[in-house]
């Protein structure tokens, strides 16, 4: 079903974002733009080695360098509560404690070992080069496989070995089911390391006030309340003495949700100095210290019946998660999502899956858009295509046969994914039409005769959005899965809204304004939304897991309805009407039946704030309301979608050309189609980046070889395709609003579709490329291997 | 020789139509001069090594990367930034198109995008969509996927090439 | 990162600039467009004591034609070269290569001389200059000297420039009547340095001049390949001996993400594509 949008509706319309007026005129205020009186600048000295013992650190020369105010080394910060990134509900999950900076040993290249504070960033960098660290290099564990080898040395001997976490799912006799399947297809996969790379690097200003011993942190972060909790818990500062403000934030994608040792170091140094300290990560240090993602080796199998029905899946995942557990958000997430979401779109009941997260001498893996779901999607869709081909079926027919049907919902998949309002078949038929699948297949066949390698890829996927209390609660990470919304009617009849959500460009604040406007009965322009401030906003989670509209939107809807009720009650008292007879439309209080204007909201506001003397003695004027929302027992709102990709592979060069891309999504009720479409497109291109370009390359000893934007490639405009977007709207049934998330769908589906389309293109050569990213060299090697094997 | 190498120099130039004069360290790049000395923070640093294009400004009318130019090299030059070009109305059509098309999300790359697009549309010369993509390819955006940006630039270019 | 500290001087004349470079020798580096030099400073990969800003020397910013020779000043910007009718008319190989040079903002500031001095073996302009048989004019306070482009590039990011010397201009013979040319490269993204590229000029009366990008430590003529292709019939297809000739001419390095072997393979593919397409391009 597709919701029709009424003319006077505010929800469902593509309003442009108000903040763009500011951002497009150079009047944004990002953390790097903020200057505070007596502010100092901090630069970190980072380990150049993946694994090395600190024999000695000499700081005298750095201290004497012009402009320097202080030089600090790791062992001065061991009086803080160390970060231990384990999820308590994941049995056996272990991590060594992590201090703000390396104390006597660095365990990844890029780990901070010293901090220099100076009058300017340039002076801090100058002095950082003068900090003399005597290193004793130690052998580094550079891959997941090495980490779990029987003779592997534990990176952290105190936790025994390098296995952070292992989890196995086995349902309905998978061994036997596979063995009895008509065919079993198998594939191994390699996903290199990458990062989210928001264009604004991480940055913060810690401002300690020695007078009342309070802390204000201006921080480019997705979750101010999470950081308030962290600073309080780890530095012993009472929560009421902490204020975390996220100004305009230049993109997050999960990278700015993670918790970094530097966060604590910067605050501790500001507290020692009693002066504001600014740390703006340089791009070169961002690449080695922002949370990394992926780095998985996966082997997977799919059993299929003679008719083409999937019987079983088998999946073994090994993720190299870096040197410590990522605090609060956990390094088990990619692997767990991968093994629990694999095959979710398809109807089968036997499954075996294992994930192992292991420690290596690399930067920490943390949250990044899509987390482990793209891996689940890729594995499933690549195997599906392989099976279809082996059976001589068209890949679309194979999917049509296997998609879970609406009548089988709600259901729980064998690996534990909860499906309810998903729409695999509708999305599937829609994308085939949108791309004109049959015509493309014909074109592909015609061109193949001329030796041109074109490929078509389809990828169905789920996106678990708005992870809720049953997930984070038992982990005991003190992450707020509820969100809040405060509304205040102002005398002019307009509403100021304060949300606990944060916006890094998604259009979240605009969506909230639309929900509030419609709920109260105002026009879009009569609502102004702000958030991003832990001292002012109602308590809540912020931005993660594609939850803004679904969770924060529901809170806004409830708040708007409550405010409307209060306005109507007051209007009834003023105008001697029954509340039941009144409604609010576009800022006018009207008679519900006749539609006649009774009183404007502006007039009501004027009376309520300035002429209470004219009100009845007992009139209860409550024009500020706060509501919060959490779905107490819901794991997530499962959204879904499908994407298709059309590519051409140049056999002689290994280059891949993107010819077309189509995305059909079902994120439930759409609040603002303009924002939703661009969330999809932006996600698609990040997904393309992952599959074609993005990769941290390490040398034999584990040293990073491409630590700048010159050689860590992200997508640029020239090579990207136009992206066609369409929707199916199946509202979430447990909420009033019916919204689900959309933030990660673009990336998940794009990765799946591109993996499949490139391999489809290589079919005539019998080649398979299964090592991401698909560089020209990897494509050429795959072709060469196929030719040699013939 | 009277002209001796110095670590600190006076730079005198026009920024957004205003004459400015400051003493700056020789090593300060133009982006930091604009951001730190003049507090024009609309010019952003995304990589600070010449790749991302977020720091683009106009120098004597041509778009350049302000992280790859010394502040002292601005001496005697005419510098225009996102702030000045916005206030003068020079970017109005592009800004309107970007807002309508939602061609900016976090806004961090946007000043650079607009300035490159400004140079692209200035001539009014017709360009194909792939040509627009190629022209804009030195400015990286991590949020939008570029499609909307190309739409917005294309729309402005079309309207300009229609009206001579 | 912020640039490391250095001293800066802006000479008022060429003479003053050359004196300055002479006086400070190894500790001074000329600063032209800065699009490579300042990027290396921004990564703190080098820390020169003195930058000698030559961008004010307008006498080095001209493109002129003298008979059959094109003179391109060291400070000519990429955009100037791209738009020059003189260059398009006499040395269209440059015009074909320039859209591949980085991006608009870099081309607005980057200079011809700067690109030659930086001597990246994957860069477009040094390769074209060698293919066209150009000569560099170098100046110092002791005088001027000329050097053929092929001798100028001596190794990876290395040239024959001596301390105190400055590139003044390049003299490039106009492409001969009847000659054909083509330029192509394989880069991951538009504007990136290519994995491999090929600048080619073929004249009726002489052997093909082929210069591969990114496939050796410097731009140089692929003479074995050109010799092997002498008298070949077009379109080229499965030429026996091409791989061996390329292996003789080229010596690519293994780099992260792209092995020498892959680069050689790409060079082979480019040879077919560039030279076959070249036959379709109308001769001058």
């Amino acid at each position: 079903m597709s919701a029709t949008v009424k003319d006077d509706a505010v929800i469902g319309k593509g309003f442009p974002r108000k903040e763009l007026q500011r951002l497009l005129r150079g009047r944004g205020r990002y953390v790097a733009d903020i200057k505070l009186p007596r502010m100092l600048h901090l630069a970190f000295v980072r380990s150049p080695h993946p694994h090395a013992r600190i024999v000695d650190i000499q700081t005298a020369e750095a201290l004497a360098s012009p402009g320097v105010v202080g030089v600090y080394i790791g062992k001065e910060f061991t009086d803080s509560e160390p970060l231990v990134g384990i999820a308590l509900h994941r049995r056996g999950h272990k991590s060594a404690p992590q201090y703000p900076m390396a104390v006597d040993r660095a365990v990844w290249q890029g780990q901070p070992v010293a901090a220099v504070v100076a009058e300017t960033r340039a002076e801090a960098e100058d002095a950082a080069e003068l900090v003399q660290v005597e290193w004793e290099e130690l052998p580094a564990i550079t891959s997941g496989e090495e980490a779990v080898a029987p003779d592997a040395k534990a990176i952290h001997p105190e936790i025994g070995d390098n296995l952070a976490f292992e989890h196995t799912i086995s349902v309905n006799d998978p061994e036997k089911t596979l063995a009895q399947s008509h065919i079993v297809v198998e594939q191994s996969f390699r996903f290199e390391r990458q990062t989210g790379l928001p264009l604004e690097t991480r940055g913060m200003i810690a401002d300690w006030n020695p007078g009342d011993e309070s802390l204000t942190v201006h921080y480019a972060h997705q979750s101010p309340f999470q950081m308030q909790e962290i600073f309080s818990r780890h530095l012993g500062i009472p929560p009421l003495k902490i204020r975390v403000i996220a100004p305009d934030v230049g993109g997050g994608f999960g990278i700015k949700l993670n918790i970094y040792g530097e966060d604590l170091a910067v605050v501790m140094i500001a507290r020692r100095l009693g002066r504001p300290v600014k740390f703006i990560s340089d791009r070169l240090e961002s690449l080695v210290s922002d949370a990394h993602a992926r780095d998985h080796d996966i082997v997977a199998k799919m059993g299929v019946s003679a008719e083409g029905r999937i019987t079983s899946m088998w999946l073994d995942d090994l993720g190299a998660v870096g040197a410590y557990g990522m605090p609060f958000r956990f390094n088990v997430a990619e692997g767990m999502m991968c093994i629990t979401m694999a095959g979710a779109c398809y109807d089968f009941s036997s499954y075996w899956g294992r994930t192992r997260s292991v420690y290596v001498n690399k930067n920490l893996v943390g949250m990044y858009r899509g987390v482990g779901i793209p891996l689940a999607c890729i594995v499933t869709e690549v195997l599906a295509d392989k099976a279809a081909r082996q059976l001589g079926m068209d890949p679309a027919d194979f999917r049509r046969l296997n998609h879970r049907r609406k009548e089988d919902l709600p259901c729980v998949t064998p690996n534990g994914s909860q499906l309810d309002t998903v729409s695999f078949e509708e999305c599937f038929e829609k994308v085939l039409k949108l791309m004109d699948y049959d015509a493309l297949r014909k074109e592909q066949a015609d061109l193949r005769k001329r030796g041109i390698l074109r490929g078509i890829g389809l990828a169905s996927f789920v996106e678990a959005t708005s992870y809720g209390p049953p997930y984070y609660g038992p982990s005991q990470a003190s992450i707020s899965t509820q969100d809040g919304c405060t509304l205040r009617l102002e005398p002019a009849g307009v509403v100021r809204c304060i949300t606990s959500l944060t916006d890094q460009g998604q259009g979240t604040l605009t969506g909230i304004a639309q929900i509030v406007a419609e709920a109260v009965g105002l026009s879009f322009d009569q609502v102004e939304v702000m958030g991003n401030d832990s001292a002012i906003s109602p308590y809540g989670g912020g931005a993660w897991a594609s939850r803004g509209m679904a969770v924060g939107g529901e809170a806004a809807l409830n708040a708007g309805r409550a405010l409307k009720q209060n306005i109507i009650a007051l209007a009834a008292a003023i105008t001697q009407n029954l509340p039941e007879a009144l409604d609010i439309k576009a800022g006018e209080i009207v008679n519900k039946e006749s539609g006649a204007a009774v009183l404007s909201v502006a007039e009501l506001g004027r009376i309520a704030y300035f002429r209470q003397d004219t009100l009845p003695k007992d009139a209860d004027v409550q024009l500020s309301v706060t509501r919060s929302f959490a779905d107490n027992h819901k794991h997530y709102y499962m959204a879904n979608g499908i994407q298709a990709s059309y590519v051409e592979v140049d056999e002689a060069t290994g280059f891949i050309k993107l010819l077309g891309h189509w995305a059909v999504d079902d994120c439930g009720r759409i609040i603002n189609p303009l924002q939703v479409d661009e969330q999809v497109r932006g996600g698609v291109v990040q997904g393309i980046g992952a599959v074609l370009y993005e990769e941290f390359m390490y040398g034999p000893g584990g040293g990073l070889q491409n630590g700048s934007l010159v050689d860590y490639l992200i997508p640029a405009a020239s090579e990207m395709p136009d992206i066609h977007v369409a929707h199916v709207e199946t509202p979430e049934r447990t909420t009033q609003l019916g919204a689900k998330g959309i933030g990660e769908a673009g990336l998940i589906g794009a990765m799946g579709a591109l993996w499949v389309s490139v391999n489809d293109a290589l079919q005539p050569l019998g080649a398979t490329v299964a090592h991401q990213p698909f560089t020209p060299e990897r494509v050429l090697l795959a072709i060469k291997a196929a030719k040699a094997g013939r | 020789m009277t002209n001796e190498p110095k670590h600190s120099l006076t730079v005198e130039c026009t920024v957004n139509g205003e004459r400015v004069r400051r003493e700056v360290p020789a090593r300060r790049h133009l982006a930091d001069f604009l951001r730190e000395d003049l507090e024009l923070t609309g010019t952003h640093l995304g990589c600070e090594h010449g790749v991302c294009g977020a720091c683009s400004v106009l120098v004597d009318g041509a778009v350049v990367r302000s992280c790859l130019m010394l502040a002292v090299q601005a001496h005697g030059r005419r510098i225009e930034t996102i702030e000045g070009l916005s206030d003068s109305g020079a970017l109005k059509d592009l800004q309107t198109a970007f807002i309508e098309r939602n061609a900016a999300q976090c806004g961090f790359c946007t000043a650079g995008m607009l300035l490159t697009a400004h140079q692209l549309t200035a001539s009014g010369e017709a360009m194909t969509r792939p040509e627009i993509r190629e022209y804009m390819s030195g400015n990286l955006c991590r949020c939008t996927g570029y499609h909307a940006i190309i739409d917005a630039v294309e729309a402005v270019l079309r309207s300009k090439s229609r009206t001579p | 990162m912020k640039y490391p500290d250095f001293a800066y001087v802006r000479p008022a004349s060429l003479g003053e600039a050359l004196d300055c470079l002479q006086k400070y020798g190894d500790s001074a580096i000329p600063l032209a467009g800065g699009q490579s030099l300042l990027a290396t400073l921004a990564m703190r990969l080098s820390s020169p004591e003195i930058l000698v800003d030559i961008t004010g020397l307008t006498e080095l910013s001209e493109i002129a034609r003298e008979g059959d020779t094109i003179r391109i000043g060291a400070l000519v910007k990429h955009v100037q070269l791209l738009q020059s009718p003189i260059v398009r008319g006499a040395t269209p190989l440059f015009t074909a290569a320039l859209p591949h040079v980085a991006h608009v903002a870099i081309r607005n500031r980057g200079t011809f001389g700067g690109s030659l001095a930086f001597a990246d073996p994957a860069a477009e302009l040094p390769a074209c200059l060698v293919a066209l048989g150009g000569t560099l004019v170098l100046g110092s306070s002791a005088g001027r000297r000329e050097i053929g482009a092929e001798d100028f590039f001596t190794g990876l990011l290395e040239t024959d420039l001596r301390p105190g010397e400055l590139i003044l201009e390049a003299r490039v013979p106009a492409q001969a009547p009847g000659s054909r040319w083509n330029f192509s490269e394989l880069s991951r993204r538009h504007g990136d340095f290519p994995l491999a590229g090929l600048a080619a000029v073929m004249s009726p009366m002489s052997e093909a001049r082929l210069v591969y990008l990114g496939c050796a430590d410097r731009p140089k003529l692929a003479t074995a390949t050109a010799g092997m292709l002498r008298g070949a019939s077009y379109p080229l297809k499965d030429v026996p001996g091409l791989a061996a000739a390329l292996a003789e001419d080229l010596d690519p390095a293994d780099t992260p993400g792209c092995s020498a072997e892959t680069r050689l393979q790409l060079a082979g593919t480019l040879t077919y594509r560039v030279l076959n397409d070249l036959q379709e391009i109308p001769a001058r």
Side-chain angles (χ1 to χ4, degrees), chain B residues 3-23:
Chain B
N3 202 355
E4 291 292 326
K6 295 188 186 77
H7 288 264
S8 177
L9 297 96
T10 302
V11 57
E12 218 176 325
C13 59
T14 311
V15 177
N16 297 329
E18 244 172 77
R19 279 188 57 187
V20 298
R21 187 188 155 92
R22 293 282 193 288
E23 186 77 13

Side-chain angles (χ1 to χ4, degrees), chain A residues 337-556:
Chain A
M337 282 192 184
C338 176
I339 65 166
T340 56
M341 310 267 167
C345 310
Y346 301 114
D347 190 5
F348 61 93
S349 56
S350 155
Y351 182 88
W352 186 89
R354 173 173 75 155
T355 178
R356 286 174 294 165
S357 296
V358 299
Y359 292 118
V360 293
N361 289 112
K362 289 182 180 173
N363 185 15
L364 280 57
V365 164
M367 291 294 112
Y368 170 47
R369 204 174 199 174
V371 195
I373 310 180
L375 311 181
C377 172
I378 289 164
V379 166
T380 308
E381 296 298 329
V382 167
L383 290 176
D385 248 47
K386 210 167 177 171
R389 255 189 316 267
Q390 203 166 318
L391 291 170
M393 284 175 78
D394 181 278
D397 292 338
F398 183 87
R399 286 169 175 80
R400 186 178 280 118
L401 185 67
N402 282 289
H403 272 136
R404 282 185 190 276
R405 315 211 177 284
K406 204 144 221 175
E407 54 267 30
D408 298 330
L409 301 174
C411 73
V412 179
T413 68
N415 37 347
S417 281
Q418 302 173 12
L419 307 180
D420 186 353
T421 55
V422 288
S423 54
F424 302 126
E425 296 168 281
E426 282 166 276
C427 288
F428 173 72
E429 297 303 337
K430 198 161 188 170
V431 84
L432 293 189
K433 211 169 147 189
L434 192 66
M435 68 193 286
D436 200 349
Y437 179 80
D438 293 337
L440 280 188
R441 278 286 179 212
K442 187 176 175 307
E443 182 176 279
Q444 177 191 35
D446 292 346
L447 289 171
R448 267 187 189 176
K449 288 176 202 149
R450 291 164 41 200
I452 294 169
L453 302 176
R454 294 266 175 105
I456 297 165
L458 292 168
S460 275
F461 62 93
V462 292
E463 181 195 356
T465 74
S466 320
Y467 267 88
Y471 180 76
Y472 277 112
S475 78
Q476 300 192 31
S478 309
I479 285 172
S480 169
T481 46
Q482 66 87 50
D483 268 293
C485 177
T486 294
L487 302 179
R488 180 172 85 216
L489 184 76
E490 304 250 331
V494 294
V495 166
R496 171 85 66 185
C497 166
I498 310 170
T499 172
S500 61
L501 299 174
T502 60
D503 192 332
Q504 298 80 38
Q506 302 94 321
T508 309
L509 301 186
T510 303
I512 292 297
Q514 289 175 257
I515 293 165
V516 169
E518 182 153 318
V520 178
L522 302 175
S523 69
F524 177 63
D525 289 334
Q526 288 172 312
V527 180
E528 190 71 30
V529 183
M530 57 176 287
N532 301 13
D533 187 332
S534 75
I536 291 174
S537 314
Y539 207 93
W544 41 273
S546 303
R547 58 200 299 281
M549 286 305 99
V551 180
E554 189 76 0

Side-chain angles (χ1 to χ4, degrees), chain A residues 121-122 125-126 129 282 284 650-653 655 692-693 697 705 708-710 713-716 718-719 774-777 780 784, chain C residues 1-5 42-44 103 186-193 195 255-263 265-266 269 273:
Chain A
R121 170 78 191 193
E125 286 181 7
D126 292 348
E129 290 185 335
D282 179 78
L284 303 179
D650 185 335
E651 182 182 345
T653 64
F655 276 62
L692 296 191
Y693 298 111
M697 293 183 269
Q705 297 177 307
S708 84
L709 273 197
V710 176
L713 307 184
I714 62 169
S718 215
E719 291 74 27
F774 299 166
T775 62
E777 177 154 281
L780 289 175
K784 201 175 279 179
Chain C
M1 294 175 82
K2 306 301 177 193
Y3 305 150
D5 192 27
M43 299 188 211
R44 295 209 175 198
H103 305 281
L186 292 164
S187 54
R188 300 288 306 279
R189 300 175 305 180
H190 177 81
D192 286 352
F193 279 127
L195 302 180
T255 53
C258 193
S259 66
E261 198 185 339
T262 297
R263 284 184 199 266
Q265 182 176 347
L266 297 178
T269 300
R273 292 186 180 173

Side-chain angles (χ1 to χ4, degrees), chain A residues 211-233:
Chain A
D212 62 358
E213 302 197 313
S214 67
L215 172 71
T216 303
V217 183
H218 303 265
Y219 192 5
H221 204 275
Q222 295 171 221
S223 183
F225 285 105
Q226 173 190 303
M227 295 318 295
Q228 176 180 302
E229 169 73 18
I230 285 284
F231 294 135
S232 178
R233 187 193 286 196

Side-chain angles (χ1 to χ4, degrees), chain A residues 54-270:
Chain A
I54 300 167
V55 179
D56 183 47
I57 302 187
Q58 291 296 328
T59 60
E61 208 182 326
L63 256 173
S65 186
V68 171
V69 175
V71 181
Y72 305 87
I73 62 173
K75 69 176 172 207
E76 297 174 61
F77 296 87
T78 48
D79 55 343
S80 62
E81 176 71 30
L83 298 161
V84 183
I86 56 169
L88 291 179
H89 66 309
R90 299 292 187 203
R91 198 180 307 169
H93 188 200
K94 59 184 192 247
S95 170
Q98 180 195 355
Y99 285 98
M101 298 196 281
V103 178
D104 47 23
R105 194 165 56 111
V107 288
W108 86 85
Q109 183 185 358
Q111 186 178 11
V113 293
V116 179
V117 180
E119 297 292 340
T120 68
R121 170 78 191 193
E123 287 169 336
E125 286 181 7
D126 292 348
E129 290 185 335
L130 301 174
V131 173
Q132 285 148 10
V133 187
E134 189 187 327
W135 294 103
E136 180 197 334
E137 282 190 66
L138 301 170
I141 295 201
T142 62
S143 72
E145 222 162 283
E146 270 176 58
V148 292
D151 58 345
K153 243 182 129 172
I155 294 173
H156 302 287
E158 65 268 38
I159 57 169
D161 58 23
N162 295 317
L163 185 66
F165 176 68
E166 176 170 357
H167 186 79
T168 305
I169 301 170
S170 184
V171 179
N172 288 335
D173 218 345
E175 295 274 321
K176 196 172 144 206
T177 315
L178 272 183
Q180 291 174 349
S181 297
H182 180 64
I183 59 164
V184 176
V185 287
E186 180 173 351
Q187 182 65 53
S188 56
F189 303 80
R190 167 71 195 151
F191 301 90
E192 292 296 341
R193 268 184 177 240
Q194 56 165 131
T195 187
L197 210 139
L199 205 58
E200 178 206 40
T201 57
R202 280 188 292 131
M204 64 193 290
I205 302 169
D207 184 8
W208 176 258
N209 186 326
D212 62 358
E213 302 197 313
S214 67
L215 172 71
T216 303
V217 183
H218 303 265
Y219 192 5
H221 204 275
Q222 295 171 221
S223 183
F225 285 105
Q226 173 190 303
M227 295 318 295
Q228 176 180 302
E229 169 73 18
I230 285 284
F231 294 135
S232 178
R233 187 193 286 196
H234 290 273
L235 305 178
I237 305 167
L240 288 180
K241 293 289 189 185
I242 302 173
R243 180 178 184 186
V244 181
I245 305 168
D248 288 325
V249 176
F253 317 122
I255 299 306
K256 292 176 185 164
L257 178 63
N258 295 297
I259 294 158
Y260 298 88
E262 291 104 316
D263 298 345
L264 300 179
V266 173
V267 170
M268 291 171 87
I269 290 168

Side-chain angles (χ1 to χ4, degrees), chain A residues 3 21 124 297 312 372 376 439-440 526 624 637 651 656 673 702 749 751:
Chain A
Q21 300 286 353
D297 291 289
S312 182
L440 280 188
Q526 288 172 312
S624 290
Y637 301 131
E651 182 182 345
I656 295 162
M751 288 177 71

